[in-house]
Tab-separated table of all heavy atoms in Angstrom:
chain	number	residue	atom	x	y	z
A	1	MET	N	-10.348	-27.533	-64.152
A	1	MET	CA	-11.562	-27.689	-63.371
A	1	MET	C	-11.306	-27.138	-61.974
A	1	MET	O	-10.275	-27.397	-61.376
A	1	MET	CB	-11.932	-29.163	-63.314
A	1	MET	CG	-13.265	-29.465	-62.711
A	1	MET	SD	-14.684	-28.970	-63.675
A	1	MET	CE	-14.730	-30.221	-64.931
A	2	LYS	N	-12.271	-26.392	-61.464
A	2	LYS	CA	-12.183	-25.804	-60.132
A	2	LYS	C	-13.149	-26.547	-59.204
A	2	LYS	O	-14.195	-27.010	-59.629
A	2	LYS	CB	-12.564	-24.320	-60.155
A	2	LYS	CG	-11.797	-23.496	-61.156
A	2	LYS	CD	-10.359	-23.355	-60.741
A	2	LYS	CE	-9.627	-22.425	-61.710
A	2	LYS	NZ	-8.224	-22.337	-61.415
A	3	ARG	N	-12.787	-26.634	-57.930
A	3	ARG	CA	-13.599	-27.368	-56.956
A	3	ARG	C	-13.718	-26.568	-55.664
A	3	ARG	O	-12.745	-25.973	-55.205
A	3	ARG	CB	-12.964	-28.718	-56.670
A	3	ARG	CG	-13.715	-29.558	-55.657
A	3	ARG	CD	-12.999	-30.891	-55.440
A	3	ARG	NE	-13.639	-31.675	-54.413
A	3	ARG	CZ	-14.501	-32.665	-54.627
A	3	ARG	NH1	-14.814	-32.986	-55.856
A	3	ARG	NH2	-15.034	-33.324	-53.627
A	4	PHE	N	-14.926	-26.590	-55.092
A	4	PHE	CA	-15.170	-25.982	-53.792
A	4	PHE	C	-15.865	-27.004	-52.917
A	4	PHE	O	-16.834	-27.643	-53.344
A	4	PHE	CB	-16.059	-24.734	-53.926
A	4	PHE	CG	-16.527	-24.187	-52.605
A	4	PHE	CD1	-15.668	-23.472	-51.793
A	4	PHE	CD2	-17.825	-24.400	-52.177
A	4	PHE	CE1	-16.096	-22.979	-50.564
A	4	PHE	CE2	-18.268	-23.903	-50.964
A	4	PHE	CZ	-17.400	-23.195	-50.155
A	5	GLU	N	-15.371	-27.174	-51.701
A	5	GLU	CA	-15.992	-28.061	-50.727
A	5	GLU	C	-16.543	-27.204	-49.605
A	5	GLU	O	-15.790	-26.508	-48.914
A	5	GLU	CB	-14.970	-29.058	-50.196
A	5	GLU	CG	-14.450	-29.987	-51.280
A	5	GLU	CD	-13.435	-31.001	-50.770
A	5	GLU	OE1	-13.301	-31.147	-49.543
A	5	GLU	OE2	-12.789	-31.633	-51.612
A	6	CYS	N	-17.848	-27.251	-49.410
A	6	CYS	CA	-18.502	-26.400	-48.424
A	6	CYS	C	-17.982	-26.656	-47.011
A	6	CYS	O	-17.893	-25.741	-46.203
A	6	CYS	CB	-20.013	-26.579	-48.475
A	6	CYS	SG	-20.901	-25.382	-47.456
A	7	GLY	N	-17.604	-27.875	-46.718
A	7	GLY	CA	-17.100	-28.214	-45.390
A	7	GLY	C	-15.866	-27.424	-44.978
A	7	GLY	O	-15.566	-27.317	-43.789
A	8	THR	N	-15.171	-26.841	-45.943
A	8	THR	CA	-14.016	-26.002	-45.597
A	8	THR	C	-14.471	-24.650	-45.060
A	8	THR	O	-13.686	-23.931	-44.449
A	8	THR	CB	-13.085	-25.772	-46.812
A	8	THR	OG1	-13.800	-25.051	-47.830
A	8	THR	CG2	-12.561	-27.089	-47.361
A	9	LEU	N	-15.737	-24.321	-45.285
A	9	LEU	CA	-16.314	-23.057	-44.828
A	9	LEU	C	-17.358	-23.297	-43.732
A	9	LEU	O	-17.416	-22.559	-42.752
A	9	LEU	CB	-16.951	-22.324	-46.007
A	9	LEU	CG	-17.425	-20.902	-45.795
A	9	LEU	CD1	-16.257	-20.005	-45.388
A	9	LEU	CD2	-18.066	-20.360	-47.067
A	10	VAL	N	-18.159	-24.336	-43.904
A	10	VAL	CA	-19.199	-24.700	-42.941
A	10	VAL	C	-18.882	-26.115	-42.445
A	10	VAL	O	-19.178	-27.086	-43.136
A	10	VAL	CB	-20.607	-24.660	-43.581
A	10	VAL	CG1	-21.672	-25.037	-42.566
A	10	VAL	CG2	-20.891	-23.297	-44.190
A	11	PRO	N	-18.251	-26.213	-41.285
A	11	PRO	CA	-17.853	-27.542	-40.787
A	11	PRO	C	-19.023	-28.522	-40.762
A	11	PRO	O	-20.144	-28.182	-40.371
A	11	PRO	CB	-17.350	-27.236	-39.366
A	11	PRO	CG	-16.880	-25.817	-39.445
A	11	PRO	CD	-17.862	-25.140	-40.381
A	12	GLY	N	-18.742	-29.741	-41.242
A	12	GLY	CA	-19.743	-30.796	-41.238
A	12	GLY	C	-20.571	-30.905	-42.511
A	12	GLY	O	-21.294	-31.877	-42.679
A	13	CYS	N	-20.459	-29.926	-43.406
A	13	CYS	CA	-21.222	-29.977	-44.652
A	13	CYS	C	-20.434	-30.775	-45.696
A	13	CYS	O	-19.267	-30.501	-45.941
A	13	CYS	CB	-21.514	-28.568	-45.175
A	13	CYS	SG	-22.545	-28.583	-46.673
A	14	ASP	N	-21.095	-31.758	-46.300
A	14	ASP	CA	-20.437	-32.623	-47.288
A	14	ASP	C	-20.590	-32.137	-48.720
A	14	ASP	O	-20.031	-32.734	-49.643
A	14	ASP	CB	-21.018	-34.038	-47.212
A	14	ASP	CG	-20.673	-34.727	-45.905
A	14	ASP	OD1	-19.641	-34.384	-45.302
A	14	ASP	OD2	-21.439	-35.618	-45.488
A	15	TRP	N	-21.348	-31.062	-48.944
A	15	TRP	CA	-21.630	-30.592	-50.301
A	15	TRP	C	-20.355	-30.071	-50.968
A	15	TRP	O	-19.497	-29.462	-50.334
A	15	TRP	CB	-22.672	-29.480	-50.243
A	15	TRP	CG	-23.100	-28.961	-51.578
A	15	TRP	CD1	-24.088	-29.465	-52.360
A	15	TRP	CD2	-22.575	-27.837	-52.285
A	15	TRP	NE1	-24.210	-28.724	-53.520
A	15	TRP	CE2	-23.282	-27.715	-53.485
A	15	TRP	CE3	-21.563	-26.917	-52.014
A	15	TRP	CZ2	-23.019	-26.722	-54.420
A	15	TRP	CZ3	-21.297	-25.924	-52.941
A	15	TRP	CH2	-22.026	-25.838	-54.129
A	16	HIS	N	-20.256	-30.334	-52.268
A	16	HIS	CA	-19.140	-29.785	-53.056
A	16	HIS	C	-19.617	-29.568	-54.484
A	16	HIS	O	-20.658	-30.089	-54.894
A	16	HIS	CB	-17.926	-30.710	-53.023
A	16	HIS	CG	-18.183	-32.031	-53.676
A	16	HIS	ND1	-18.744	-33.090	-52.990
A	16	HIS	CD2	-17.994	-32.472	-54.930
A	16	HIS	CE1	-18.860	-34.112	-53.812
A	16	HIS	NE2	-18.417	-33.769	-55.004
A	17	THR	N	-18.860	-28.773	-55.225
A	17	THR	CA	-19.196	-28.533	-56.622
A	17	THR	C	-17.905	-28.372	-57.417
A	17	THR	O	-16.862	-28.019	-56.860
A	17	THR	CB	-20.096	-27.294	-56.787
A	17	THR	OG1	-20.564	-27.240	-58.140
A	17	THR	CG2	-19.373	-26.003	-56.440
A	18	ARG	N	-18.027	-28.626	-58.722
A	18	ARG	CA	-16.905	-28.438	-59.649
A	18	ARG	C	-17.419	-27.740	-60.885
A	18	ARG	O	-18.547	-27.972	-61.317
A	18	ARG	CB	-16.310	-29.777	-60.076
A	18	ARG	CG	-15.688	-30.554	-58.987
A	18	ARG	CD	-14.995	-31.797	-59.467
A	18	ARG	NE	-15.676	-32.434	-60.606
A	18	ARG	CZ	-15.174	-33.431	-61.295
A	18	ARG	NH1	-14.000	-33.916	-60.997
A	18	ARG	NH2	-15.835	-33.954	-62.302
A	19	ALA	N	-16.571	-26.902	-61.468
A	19	ALA	CA	-16.903	-26.239	-62.730
A	19	ALA	C	-15.606	-25.776	-63.371
A	19	ALA	O	-14.569	-25.668	-62.713
A	19	ALA	CB	-17.837	-25.063	-62.498
A	20	GLU	N	-15.683	-25.488	-64.648
A	20	GLU	CA	-14.503	-25.005	-65.377
A	20	GLU	C	-14.074	-23.620	-64.902
A	20	GLU	O	-12.890	-23.344	-64.768
A	20	GLU	CB	-14.789	-24.958	-66.880
A	20	GLU	CG	-14.869	-26.318	-67.538
A	20	GLU	CD	-13.550	-27.068	-67.543
A	20	GLU	OE1	-12.487	-26.420	-67.595
A	20	GLU	OE2	-13.596	-28.308	-67.493
A	21	GLU	N	-15.047	-22.763	-64.643
A	21	GLU	CA	-14.762	-21.366	-64.297
A	21	GLU	C	-14.991	-21.105	-62.814
A	21	GLU	O	-15.974	-21.561	-62.236
A	21	GLU	CB	-15.654	-20.430	-65.115
A	21	GLU	CG	-15.489	-20.571	-66.609
A	21	GLU	CD	-14.115	-20.145	-67.090
A	21	GLU	OE1	-13.530	-19.227	-66.483
A	21	GLU	OE2	-13.625	-20.748	-68.060
A	22	GLU	N	-14.096	-20.314	-62.224
A	22	GLU	CA	-14.232	-19.941	-60.817
A	22	GLU	C	-15.564	-19.228	-60.558
A	22	GLU	O	-16.219	-19.466	-59.539
A	22	GLU	CB	-13.079	-19.044	-60.396
A	22	GLU	CG	-13.142	-18.637	-58.933
A	22	GLU	CD	-11.991	-17.759	-58.519
A	22	GLU	OE1	-12.120	-16.531	-58.643
A	22	GLU	OE2	-10.963	-18.297	-58.082
A	23	ALA	N	-15.980	-18.375	-61.482
A	23	ALA	CA	-17.227	-17.626	-61.301
A	23	ALA	C	-18.426	-18.566	-61.160
A	23	ALA	O	-19.334	-18.304	-60.361
A	23	ALA	CB	-17.444	-16.661	-62.460
A	24	GLU	N	-18.436	-19.657	-61.899
A	24	GLU	CA	-19.535	-20.622	-61.799
A	24	GLU	C	-19.484	-21.353	-60.463
A	24	GLU	O	-20.519	-21.612	-59.852
A	24	GLU	CB	-19.499	-21.612	-62.959
A	24	GLU	CG	-20.583	-22.667	-62.924
A	24	GLU	CD	-22.004	-22.126	-62.993
A	24	GLU	OE1	-22.222	-20.939	-63.329
A	24	GLU	OE2	-22.938	-22.905	-62.691
A	25	VAL	N	-18.306	-21.679	-59.993
A	25	VAL	CA	-18.173	-22.315	-58.678
A	25	VAL	C	-18.705	-21.381	-57.595
A	25	VAL	O	-19.464	-21.796	-56.714
A	25	VAL	CB	-16.703	-22.705	-58.397
A	25	VAL	CG1	-16.536	-23.202	-56.962
A	25	VAL	CG2	-16.227	-23.762	-59.381
A	26	VAL	N	-18.339	-20.109	-57.668
A	26	VAL	CA	-18.808	-19.129	-56.692
A	26	VAL	C	-20.331	-19.009	-56.755
A	26	VAL	O	-21.003	-18.997	-55.723
A	26	VAL	CB	-18.134	-17.760	-56.902
A	26	VAL	CG1	-18.781	-16.689	-56.038
A	26	VAL	CG2	-16.637	-17.842	-56.610
A	27	ARG	N	-20.892	-18.946	-57.959
A	27	ARG	CA	-22.340	-18.828	-58.111
A	27	ARG	C	-23.052	-20.012	-57.454
A	27	ARG	O	-24.016	-19.841	-56.711
A	27	ARG	CB	-22.722	-18.749	-59.589
A	27	ARG	CG	-24.215	-18.484	-59.813
A	27	ARG	CD	-24.658	-18.782	-61.227
A	27	ARG	NE	-24.610	-20.209	-61.554
A	27	ARG	CZ	-25.494	-21.116	-61.131
A	27	ARG	NH1	-26.474	-20.782	-60.331
A	27	ARG	NH2	-25.385	-22.381	-61.503
A	28	ARG	N	-22.560	-21.206	-57.714
A	28	ARG	CA	-23.169	-22.407	-57.137
A	28	ARG	C	-23.023	-22.423	-55.622
A	28	ARG	O	-23.951	-22.820	-54.903
A	28	ARG	CB	-22.526	-23.656	-57.725
A	28	ARG	CG	-22.832	-23.875	-59.190
A	28	ARG	CD	-22.096	-25.083	-59.708
A	28	ARG	NE	-22.243	-25.232	-61.141
A	28	ARG	CZ	-21.672	-26.207	-61.834
A	28	ARG	NH1	-20.927	-27.119	-61.223
A	28	ARG	NH2	-21.842	-26.273	-63.138
A	29	ALA	N	-21.850	-22.022	-55.127
A	29	ALA	CA	-21.616	-22.004	-53.681
A	29	ALA	C	-22.536	-21.004	-52.993
A	29	ALA	O	-23.095	-21.298	-51.923
A	29	ALA	CB	-20.149	-21.685	-53.393
A	30	VAL	N	-22.707	-19.831	-53.583
A	30	VAL	CA	-23.600	-18.823	-53.013
A	30	VAL	C	-25.029	-19.355	-52.966
A	30	VAL	O	-25.724	-19.225	-51.948
A	30	VAL	CB	-23.510	-17.501	-53.806
A	30	VAL	CG1	-24.663	-16.572	-53.477
A	30	VAL	CG2	-22.170	-16.813	-53.542
A	31	GLU	N	-25.468	-19.975	-54.035
A	31	GLU	CA	-26.823	-20.544	-54.064
A	31	GLU	C	-26.976	-21.618	-52.988
A	31	GLU	O	-27.991	-21.689	-52.292
A	31	GLU	CB	-27.121	-21.119	-55.457
A	31	GLU	CG	-28.517	-21.666	-55.601
A	31	GLU	CD	-29.598	-20.597	-55.527
A	31	GLU	OE1	-29.307	-19.389	-55.655
A	31	GLU	OE2	-30.762	-20.983	-55.323
A	32	HIS	N	-25.966	-22.457	-52.837
A	32	HIS	CA	-25.985	-23.498	-51.807
A	32	HIS	C	-26.085	-22.881	-50.413
A	32	HIS	O	-26.878	-23.343	-49.582
A	32	HIS	CB	-24.725	-24.364	-51.921
A	32	HIS	CG	-24.533	-25.278	-50.763
A	32	HIS	ND1	-25.293	-26.417	-50.578
A	32	HIS	CD2	-23.673	-25.223	-49.709
A	32	HIS	CE1	-24.902	-27.028	-49.465
A	32	HIS	NE2	-23.926	-26.320	-48.918
A	33	LEU	N	-25.304	-21.851	-50.157
A	33	LEU	CA	-25.346	-21.206	-48.841
A	33	LEU	C	-26.725	-20.624	-48.551
A	33	LEU	O	-27.209	-20.697	-47.419
A	33	LEU	CB	-24.276	-20.113	-48.752
A	33	LEU	CG	-22.840	-20.617	-48.663
A	33	LEU	CD1	-21.866	-19.459	-48.819
A	33	LEU	CD2	-22.602	-21.330	-47.343
A	34	LYS	N	-27.355	-20.074	-49.562
A	34	LYS	CA	-28.688	-19.506	-49.378
A	34	LYS	C	-29.725	-20.601	-49.111
A	34	LYS	O	-30.503	-20.510	-48.162
A	34	LYS	CB	-29.104	-18.711	-50.613
A	34	LYS	CG	-28.356	-17.404	-50.777
A	34	LYS	CD	-28.798	-16.699	-52.048
A	34	LYS	CE	-28.114	-15.367	-52.209
A	34	LYS	NZ	-28.525	-14.698	-53.460
A	35	VAL	N	-29.743	-21.617	-49.962
A	35	VAL	CA	-30.783	-22.646	-49.905
A	35	VAL	C	-30.576	-23.597	-48.721
A	35	VAL	O	-31.510	-23.885	-47.974
A	35	VAL	CB	-30.827	-23.443	-51.236
A	35	VAL	CG1	-31.734	-24.645	-51.134
A	35	VAL	CG2	-31.256	-22.529	-52.366
A	36	THR	N	-29.360	-24.074	-48.548
A	36	THR	CA	-29.101	-25.118	-47.554
A	36	THR	C	-28.815	-24.566	-46.163
A	36	THR	O	-29.259	-25.116	-45.169
A	36	THR	CB	-27.932	-26.005	-48.016
A	36	THR	OG1	-28.257	-26.527	-49.305
A	36	THR	CG2	-27.680	-27.149	-47.052
A	37	HIS	N	-28.059	-23.477	-46.106
A	37	HIS	CA	-27.621	-22.958	-44.816
A	37	HIS	C	-28.393	-21.710	-44.379
A	37	HIS	O	-28.094	-21.134	-43.335
A	37	HIS	CB	-26.116	-22.678	-44.840
A	37	HIS	CG	-25.303	-23.909	-45.095
A	37	HIS	ND1	-25.271	-24.989	-44.229
A	37	HIS	CD2	-24.506	-24.257	-46.141
A	37	HIS	CE1	-24.483	-25.928	-44.725
A	37	HIS	NE2	-24.012	-25.516	-45.883
A	38	GLY	N	-29.371	-21.291	-45.173
A	38	GLY	CA	-30.249	-20.207	-44.777
A	38	GLY	C	-29.639	-18.819	-44.779
A	38	GLY	O	-30.178	-17.901	-44.173
A	39	GLU	N	-28.526	-18.653	-45.483
A	39	GLU	CA	-27.901	-17.333	-45.574
A	39	GLU	C	-28.777	-16.434	-46.442
A	39	GLU	O	-29.057	-16.763	-47.589
A	39	GLU	CB	-26.497	-17.427	-46.163
A	39	GLU	CG	-25.509	-18.176	-45.303
A	39	GLU	CD	-25.145	-17.452	-44.021
A	39	GLU	OE1	-25.247	-16.207	-43.971
A	39	GLU	OE2	-24.767	-18.135	-43.063
A	40	GLU	N	-29.221	-15.330	-45.907
A	40	GLU	CA	-30.065	-14.420	-46.674
A	40	GLU	C	-29.246	-13.348	-47.382
A	40	GLU	O	-29.607	-12.906	-48.473
A	40	GLU	CB	-31.096	-13.767	-45.754
A	40	GLU	CG	-32.090	-14.768	-45.206
A	40	GLU	CD	-33.114	-14.133	-44.287
A	40	GLU	OE1	-33.216	-12.886	-44.272
A	40	GLU	OE2	-33.806	-14.885	-43.596
A	41	ILE	N	-28.156	-12.942	-46.749
A	41	ILE	CA	-27.291	-11.909	-47.320
A	41	ILE	C	-25.899	-12.499	-47.488
A	41	ILE	O	-25.315	-13.011	-46.528
A	41	ILE	CB	-27.231	-10.668	-46.410
A	41	ILE	CG1	-28.630	-10.059	-46.264
A	41	ILE	CG2	-26.235	-9.650	-46.954
A	41	ILE	CD1	-28.720	-8.968	-45.224
A	42	ILE	N	-25.391	-12.438	-48.705
A	42	ILE	CA	-24.034	-12.903	-48.985
A	42	ILE	C	-23.163	-11.660	-49.156
A	42	ILE	O	-23.244	-10.974	-50.170
A	42	ILE	CB	-23.972	-13.800	-50.236
A	42	ILE	CG1	-24.944	-14.970	-50.117
A	42	ILE	CG2	-22.548	-14.283	-50.468
A	42	ILE	CD1	-24.651	-15.962	-49.015
A	43	ARG	N	-22.372	-11.369	-48.162
A	43	ARG	CA	-21.515	-10.190	-48.185
A	43	ARG	C	-20.273	-10.449	-49.033
A	43	ARG	O	-19.877	-11.605	-49.228
A	43	ARG	CB	-21.119	-9.810	-46.764
A	43	ARG	CG	-22.297	-9.320	-45.947
A	43	ARG	CD	-21.868	-8.909	-44.548
A	43	ARG	NE	-22.923	-8.182	-43.869
A	43	ARG	CZ	-23.982	-8.742	-43.298
A	43	ARG	NH1	-24.129	-10.057	-43.347
A	43	ARG	NH2	-24.883	-8.007	-42.682
A	44	PRO	N	-19.643	-9.378	-49.515
A	44	PRO	CA	-18.407	-9.546	-50.294
A	44	PRO	C	-17.350	-10.366	-49.554
A	44	PRO	O	-16.620	-11.137	-50.171
A	44	PRO	CB	-17.949	-8.117	-50.545
A	44	PRO	CG	-19.219	-7.312	-50.535
A	44	PRO	CD	-20.083	-7.972	-49.480
A	45	SER	N	-17.283	-10.232	-48.243
A	45	SER	CA	-16.295	-11.005	-47.473
A	45	SER	C	-16.583	-12.503	-47.566
A	45	SER	O	-15.643	-13.313	-47.587
A	45	SER	CB	-16.258	-10.547	-46.016
A	45	SER	OG	-17.518	-10.756	-45.395
A	46	MET	N	-17.858	-12.882	-47.643
A	46	MET	CA	-18.202	-14.295	-47.783
A	46	MET	C	-17.767	-14.813	-49.148
A	46	MET	O	-17.236	-15.919	-49.261
A	46	MET	CB	-19.707	-14.511	-47.601
A	46	MET	CG	-20.125	-15.966	-47.716
A	46	MET	SD	-19.412	-17.047	-46.463
A	46	MET	CE	-20.422	-16.592	-45.058
A	47	VAL	N	-17.952	-14.014	-50.181
A	47	VAL	CA	-17.483	-14.391	-51.516
A	47	VAL	C	-15.960	-14.558	-51.485
A	47	VAL	O	-15.429	-15.512	-52.066
A	47	VAL	CB	-17.921	-13.360	-52.573
A	47	VAL	CG1	-17.299	-13.671	-53.921
A	47	VAL	CG2	-19.445	-13.325	-52.691
A	48	ASP	N	-15.277	-13.671	-50.795
A	48	ASP	CA	-13.817	-13.794	-50.663
A	48	ASP	C	-13.438	-15.102	-49.973
A	48	ASP	O	-12.501	-15.786	-50.395
A	48	ASP	CB	-13.236	-12.618	-49.876
A	48	ASP	CG	-13.295	-11.308	-50.646
A	48	ASP	OD1	-13.438	-11.341	-51.887
A	48	ASP	OD2	-13.188	-10.249	-49.993
A	49	HIS	N	-14.171	-15.476	-48.916
A	49	HIS	CA	-13.895	-16.737	-48.207
A	49	HIS	C	-14.116	-17.933	-49.132
A	49	HIS	O	-13.357	-18.907	-49.072
A	49	HIS	CB	-14.770	-16.865	-46.969
A	49	HIS	CG	-14.429	-15.906	-45.874
A	49	HIS	ND1	-13.156	-15.723	-45.397
A	49	HIS	CD2	-15.206	-15.059	-45.174
A	49	HIS	CE1	-13.155	-14.820	-44.446
A	49	HIS	NE2	-14.407	-14.382	-44.287
A	50	ILE	N	-15.146	-17.869	-49.968
A	50	ILE	CA	-15.388	-18.947	-50.933
A	50	ILE	C	-14.214	-19.037	-51.901
A	50	ILE	O	-13.652	-20.114	-52.124
A	50	ILE	CB	-16.711	-18.719	-51.690
A	50	ILE	CG1	-17.901	-18.861	-50.741
A	50	ILE	CG2	-16.836	-19.695	-52.871
A	50	ILE	CD1	-19.214	-18.369	-51.315
A	51	LYS	N	-13.820	-17.894	-52.473
A	51	LYS	CA	-12.731	-17.880	-53.449
A	51	LYS	C	-11.430	-18.410	-52.857
A	51	LYS	O	-10.670	-19.101	-53.537
A	51	LYS	CB	-12.524	-16.465	-53.991
A	51	LYS	CG	-13.624	-16.023	-54.921
A	51	LYS	CD	-13.360	-14.612	-55.411
A	51	LYS	CE	-14.415	-14.150	-56.393
A	51	LYS	NZ	-14.157	-12.781	-56.864
A	52	GLU	N	-11.166	-18.094	-51.589
A	52	GLU	CA	-9.949	-18.570	-50.925
A	52	GLU	C	-9.909	-20.086	-50.825
A	52	GLU	O	-8.841	-20.679	-50.736
A	52	GLU	CB	-9.866	-17.993	-49.507
A	52	GLU	CG	-9.584	-16.510	-49.462
A	52	GLU	CD	-9.775	-15.918	-48.066
A	52	GLU	OE1	-10.135	-16.669	-47.123
A	52	GLU	OE2	-9.581	-14.701	-47.930
A	53	ARG	N	-11.075	-20.715	-50.844
A	53	ARG	CA	-11.171	-22.159	-50.646
A	53	ARG	C	-11.346	-22.941	-51.949
A	53	ARG	O	-11.425	-24.172	-51.920
A	53	ARG	CB	-12.325	-22.445	-49.687
A	53	ARG	CG	-11.995	-21.993	-48.274
A	53	ARG	CD	-13.224	-21.880	-47.397
A	53	ARG	NE	-12.876	-21.635	-46.007
A	53	ARG	CZ	-12.546	-20.434	-45.510
A	53	ARG	NH1	-12.519	-19.374	-46.292
A	53	ARG	NH2	-12.239	-20.300	-44.231
A	54	ILE	N	-11.389	-22.270	-53.054
A	54	ILE	CA	-11.483	-22.957	-54.351
A	54	ILE	C	-10.119	-23.530	-54.717
A	54	ILE	O	-9.107	-22.849	-54.617
A	54	ILE	CB	-11.991	-21.998	-55.445
A	54	ILE	CG1	-13.444	-21.609	-55.153
A	54	ILE	CG2	-11.875	-22.647	-56.834
A	54	ILE	CD1	-13.992	-20.553	-56.100
A	55	ARG	N	-10.142	-24.774	-55.115
A	55	ARG	CA	-8.907	-25.477	-55.474
A	55	ARG	C	-8.997	-25.993	-56.899
A	55	ARG	O	-10.086	-26.232	-57.420
A	55	ARG	CB	-8.678	-26.671	-54.532
A	55	ARG	CG	-8.572	-26.285	-53.065
A	55	ARG	CD	-7.264	-25.545	-52.810
A	55	ARG	NE	-7.154	-25.158	-51.415
A	55	ARG	CZ	-7.164	-23.898	-50.988
A	55	ARG	NH1	-7.320	-22.909	-51.833
A	55	ARG	NH2	-7.037	-23.622	-49.717
A	56	ASN	N	-7.841	-26.216	-57.504
A	56	ASN	CA	-7.806	-26.895	-58.799
A	56	ASN	C	-8.095	-28.369	-58.551
A	56	ASN	O	-7.528	-28.967	-57.637
A	56	ASN	CB	-6.440	-26.737	-59.460
A	56	ASN	CG	-6.236	-25.347	-59.996
A	56	ASN	OD1	-7.153	-24.710	-60.503
A	56	ASN	ND2	-5.021	-24.837	-59.863
A	57	ASP	N	-8.992	-28.932	-59.337
A	57	ASP	CA	-9.385	-30.330	-59.189
A	57	ASP	C	-8.715	-31.143	-60.283
A	57	ASP	O	-9.100	-31.034	-61.447
A	57	ASP	CB	-10.900	-30.447	-59.253
A	57	ASP	CG	-11.387	-31.846	-58.955
A	57	ASP	OD1	-10.543	-32.729	-58.705
A	57	ASP	OD2	-12.608	-32.060	-58.968
A	58	GLN	N	-7.769	-31.949	-59.891
A	58	GLN	CA	-7.026	-32.769	-60.861
A	58	GLN	C	-7.658	-34.147	-61.034
A	58	GLN	O	-7.194	-34.933	-61.837
A	58	GLN	CB	-5.579	-32.926	-60.406
A	58	GLN	CG	-4.855	-31.621	-60.185
A	58	GLN	CD	-4.802	-30.726	-61.433
A	58	GLN	OE1	-4.797	-31.234	-62.556
A	58	GLN	NE2	-4.766	-29.437	-61.229
A	59	SER	N	-8.720	-34.449	-60.279
A	59	SER	CA	-9.300	-35.790	-60.308
A	59	SER	C	-10.425	-35.905	-61.333
A	59	SER	O	-11.457	-36.476	-61.056
A	59	SER	CB	-9.825	-36.149	-58.917
A	59	SER	OG	-10.880	-35.261	-58.561
A	60	GLN	N	-10.216	-35.366	-62.501
A	60	GLN	CA	-11.227	-35.445	-63.550
A	60	GLN	C	-11.303	-36.869	-64.077
A	60	GLN	O	-10.312	-37.540	-64.243
A	60	GLN	CB	-10.880	-34.498	-64.692
A	60	GLN	CG	-10.827	-33.049	-64.264
A	60	GLN	CD	-10.363	-32.156	-65.395
A	60	GLN	OE1	-10.483	-32.511	-66.555
A	60	GLN	NE2	-9.797	-31.018	-65.050
A	61	THR	N	-12.524	-37.311	-64.334
A	61	THR	CA	-12.705	-38.641	-64.887
A	61	THR	C	-13.130	-38.536	-66.346
A	61	THR	O	-13.783	-37.583	-66.742
A	61	THR	CB	-13.793	-39.415	-64.094
A	61	THR	OG1	-15.001	-38.650	-64.121
A	61	THR	CG2	-13.352	-39.662	-62.673
A	62	ALA	N	-12.759	-39.515	-67.120
A	62	ALA	CA	-13.072	-39.497	-68.548
A	62	ALA	C	-14.488	-39.904	-68.806
A	62	ALA	O	-15.136	-40.544	-68.085
A	62	ALA	CB	-12.121	-40.418	-69.286
């Protein structure tokens, strides 16, 4: 499971997401940045910043 916490990119934001695939985490993060933070253009460098902050999530619950 992969996890992204928006606060690592946008200080003060509590939003986070988890998914099995990194691509799905990136997709959700991009959508969040557009809807919540008003980003109209997501440049490749922003996708790189998201990917750099994705972590393996070991706290899976049954």
Side-chain angles (χ1 to χ4, degrees):
M1 188 70 76
K2 306 290 184 184
R3 179 180 176 98
F4 171 76
E5 296 180 12
C6 189
T8 63
L9 189 60
V10 180
C13 183
D14 293 333
W15 183 87
H16 65 274
T17 189
R18 295 186 325 171
E20 288 294 329
E21 301 294 328
E22 181 179 89
E24 179 61 14
V25 173
V26 171
R27 186 196 68 75
R28 292 177 187 179
V30 165
E31 183 67 16
H32 169 74
L33 288 170
K34 288 178 178 179
V35 171
T36 304
H37 299 296
E39 295 291 335
E40 294 180 14
I41 299 171
I42 305 295
R43 293 182 168 79
S45 62
M46 181 63 76
V47 173
D48 290 341
H49 291 310
I50 293 168
K51 288 180 178 180
E52 290 169 0
R53 290 163 172 80
I54 293 174
R55 301 289 179 247
N56 286 323
D57 186 0
Q58 304 301 330
S59 64
Q60 299 175 23
T61 57

